[in-house]
Amino acid sequence: MTTPEYPKQVNGIVVERFGDWHNAKIGTLPLRPLKSGEVLIKCEAAALNFQDLLIIEGKYQFKPAIPFISGSDVAGRIIAVGPGVEQFSVGQRIAALVQIGGFAEYSIAPFGRYFSIPDEIDFAKAAACTSIFATVVVALTIRGQLRAGERILVTGAAGGVGIAAVQYARQIGAEVVALVS
């Protein structure tokens, strides 16, 4: 596979001021060079999550510099690798939690926030799992220390994080009680 020329700009959904997501528009912004450990992804799919709307509204725990391209979760193929990237290569299928820049044709993923995906998982499913399952793993096993054989109540079990929590808890052997409204 040949490496394409590194793009100088990127088209995507641009936020020029915090507020209603309806004010975001399709536009073009410069694409910065890759830093150590980063990869450039040709985006094939992106997922829309509640955090994306909060970031656009300026209500999330961090505020990116204006203007920015919104979107947190992407999946696609690596088209360039930054200095120090050794375990990933151009052409590799990955999903990534980019936090901003996901609703674009190209996204930069920071080290530790991208992972390979097998060929049998399509890009849309991979993008949809990124921040959702990261949230679930942290909440249930790191913070909650859930173990096999324990019982867990998952409130909001019909939403994205709730569905993932039910799946993950069952996968590690917990008994799940799901609550929906």
Side-chain angles (χ1 to χ4, degrees):
M1 171 177 281
T2 60
T3 304
E5 184 177 323
Y6 194 87
K8 291 180 176 39
Q9 56 187 16
V10 61
N11 297 317
I13 299 183
V14 177
V15 176
E16 294 178 333
R17 68 180 189 272
F18 293 114
D20 190 325
W21 65 269
H22 290 93
N23 295 327
K25 61 183 181 181
I26 295 176
T28 302
L29 290 177
L31 188 62
R32 66 171 174 76
L34 294 176
K35 297 176 185 172
S36 181
E38 293 180 331
V39 297
L40 181 65
I41 305 164
K42 169 72 170 114
C43 298
E44 298 291 338
L48 174 65
N49 292 295
F50 185 59
Q51 75 181 19
D52 297 315
L53 299 177
L54 292 175
I55 292 170
I56 291 168
E57 293 172 354
K59 297 178 181 175
Y60 198 62
Q61 53 202 359
F62 87 98
K63 288 186 181 180
I66 298 288
F68 67 93
I69 294 177
S70 59
S72 298
D73 300 316
V74 300
R77 292 189 184 276
I78 295 174
I79 64 164
V81 297
V85 175
E86 296 176 6
Q87 294 181 334
F88 291 82
S89 58
V90 170
Q92 192 168 357
R93 294 167 40 91
I94 65 168
L97 175 56
V98 295
Q99 202 156 40
I100 60 167
F103 298 150
E105 58 188 335
Y106 303 105
S107 293
I108 295 174
F111 177 76
R113 293 192 171 215
Y114 51 88
F115 54 94
S116 62
I117 55 175
D119 290 339
E120 61 269 14
I121 296 179
D122 67 56
F123 289 120
K125 288 178 182 173
C129 292
T130 309
S131 65
I132 297 293
F133 275 96
T135 299
V136 167
V137 170
V138 169
L140 298 188
T141 55
I142 296 173
R143 298 287 299 188
Q145 299 180 357
L146 182 65
R147 305 282 185 257
E150 294 182 332
R151 183 178 298 151
I152 182 172
L153 171 64
V154 178
T155 60
V161 173
I163 291 168
V166 169
Q167 293 172 344
Y168 183 72
R170 290 189 65 204
Q171 184 67 34
I172 64 173
E175 179 184 348
V176 179
V177 177
L179 180 62
V180 297
S181 62

